[in-house]
Amino acid sequence: MEVLERVGKETMELLIEETGLQLEKNSEGDVDHPHIDEEQLEEDVTFDRCFYIYGGPDQLEELEALSSHYAVLFNRRKAKLLSEQKQFYEAKLKEIQELFNLERQLEGNGQDSAGKGKEVEAVDSNGDIEIRKLCDSSVTKAASMAAGFTSALGGLAANEIIQKTTDRLESIHSEGVHRLSELCCLAVSQLLLLGKSVISKSSKANGEEADEDIKIEWPEDLVSKANIIRSKAQFMSSDVIKVSSSFITGISDIIEAYIANQLPEQKTVQTKANEISNQLRSDQTDAIGKIQDALHHLTFVVLSTSMPTA
């Protein structure tokens, strides 16, 4: 038993050293999320590195492969269509490309098209629930890391206050980066599963065998399908912004507590806090950008699976 305990401890230490994170479960035991030691250095944690650890690049690569495959199918099937049908699907391609642009505001929030898929949108998959839980726990974590910091500085010497504030800033930055990257990865994974679900429905319609990771009764109208996927991606992006904002707010609260002590070197610490906040905003942009990339990759998946096969 002593040997096993020692080997297990050494293995975990190696894992933490290689990946830069260690996992813990929340009080409800629902979602595993990264725990960051306050002694972990800020420069060891970047969004791209954490996104890689969570497997995000592999999921984007799979989405890109699906996009390329169904783009070829789209062109093959379009070549067999009559002129009017070709024009119809070319127009639909442009419509879905615009619909899958998250920066574009939809007229009437897409209610006319999305209405056909209203019942489908109301059903949350396990992935949707997992994303929501991670978002909520991340917001709570950011608040808890900043809560009570004013009292934590009480009675400390100036150099201790500076060190404790610096450590807390690095800690909340590391936690924020891990949370954002994990949330982004979950979002990309969910979009991949939605794409596979659309493909599965098409395969069943054509009498082929299909695996289903997400069971959704998709509407026949291809724009309605696109609206459902767009709506989910929009919520995912909103969750990313919510998490990023919560950690930036936490940083502001920490600095506010620090400034109240009126130390001579407060500008240096404030500068560090501003840099961390700006980095989190940049990470937020990167995360939404990856969700946008994943969404774009589903354009030809939705379009091609809605075309006649012969």
Side-chain angles (χ1 to χ4, degrees), residues 36-45 145 149 162-178 247 251 254-255 269 272-273 275-277 280:
I36 308 303
D37 194 315
E38 287 196 11
E39 295 180 357
Q40 186 174 11
L41 297 179
E42 174 191 357
E43 53 266 28
D44 289 339
V45 182
M145 293 183 77
F149 193 65
I162 293 172
Q163 187 59 54
K164 192 173 186 66
T165 303
T166 301
D167 290 345
R168 184 61 62 90
L169 288 173
E170 290 177 349
S171 179
I172 198 170
H173 174 228
S174 297
E175 188 76 28
V177 171
H178 275 287
F247 279 95
I251 291 170
I254 290 170
I255 285 299
V269 178
K272 181 180 183 65
E275 290 174 353
I276 291 175
S277 295
L280 283 175

Side-chain angles (χ1 to χ4, degrees), residues 37-104:
D37 194 315
E38 287 196 11
E39 295 180 357
Q40 186 174 11
L41 297 179
E42 174 191 357
E43 53 266 28
D44 289 339
V45 182
T46 65
F47 176 82
D48 287 339
R49 181 169 181 265
C50 293
F51 188 70
Y52 172 81
I53 290 172
Y54 287 116
D58 292 337
Q59 293 166 350
L60 282 175
E61 185 177 337
E62 187 173 354
L63 276 162
E64 186 176 2
L66 282 178
S67 178
S68 298
H69 174 71
Y70 281 92
V72 171
L73 285 182
F74 170 75
N75 288 323
R76 286 178 180 173
R77 290 172 179 175
K78 189 180 71 170
K80 299 177 182 179
L81 299 176
L82 299 175
S83 178
E84 290 185 1
Q85 290 178 307
K86 287 180 180 179
Q87 292 177 3
F88 172 80
Y89 282 106
E90 286 171 354
K92 289 298 179 183
L93 172 59
K94 293 181 180 178
E95 185 176 357
I96 294 177
Q97 285 175 332
E98 291 181 0
L99 188 60
F100 280 0
N101 181 0
L102 293 176
E103 293 182 355
R104 177 177 174 269

Side-chain angles (χ1 to χ4, degrees), residues 57-217:
D58 292 337
Q59 293 166 350
L60 282 175
E61 185 177 337
E62 187 173 354
L63 276 162
E64 186 176 2
L66 282 178
S67 178
S68 298
H69 174 71
Y70 281 92
V72 171
L73 285 182
F74 170 75
N75 288 323
R76 286 178 180 173
R77 290 172 179 175
K78 189 180 71 170
K80 299 177 182 179
L81 299 176
L82 299 175
S83 178
E84 290 185 1
Q85 290 178 307
K86 287 180 180 179
Q87 292 177 3
F88 172 80
Y89 282 106
E90 286 171 354
K92 289 298 179 183
L93 172 59
K94 293 181 180 178
E95 185 176 357
I96 294 177
Q97 285 175 332
E98 291 181 0
L99 188 60
F100 280 0
N101 181 0
L102 293 176
E103 293 182 355
R104 177 177 174 269
Q105 295 296 321
L106 304 180
E107 294 182 4
N109 296 322
Q111 290 177 352
D112 293 340
S113 297
K116 300 176 183 178
K118 185 176 180 182
E119 293 183 2
V120 180
E121 281 189 283
V123 179
D124 286 338
S125 67
N126 290 335
D128 294 324
I129 296 171
E130 189 175 358
I131 289 173
R132 190 178 305 117
K133 283 184 177 180
L134 179 59
C135 177
D136 292 343
S137 67
S138 296
V139 171
T140 301
K141 180 66 175 180
S144 67
M145 293 183 77
F149 193 65
T150 301
S151 58
L153 298 180
L156 297 180
N159 61 331
E160 292 177 321
I161 292 176
I162 293 172
Q163 187 59 54
K164 192 173 186 66
T165 303
T166 301
D167 290 345
R168 184 61 62 90
L169 288 173
E170 290 177 349
S171 179
I172 198 170
H173 174 228
S174 297
E175 188 76 28
V177 171
H178 275 287
R179 297 279 182 153
L180 279 175
S181 57
E182 184 181 10
L183 185 62
C184 177
C185 191
L186 279 175
V188 171
S189 175
Q190 183 69 0
L191 288 171
L192 175 59
L193 290 176
L194 287 171
K196 289 181 176 180
S197 179
V198 171
I199 294 169
S200 177
K201 175 180 171 59
S202 174
S203 298
K204 281 187 174 182
N206 294 327
E208 303 172 12
E209 292 186 3
D211 296 327
E212 283 189 284
D213 292 311
I214 296 181
K215 294 183 179 180
I216 294 180
E217 292 297 327

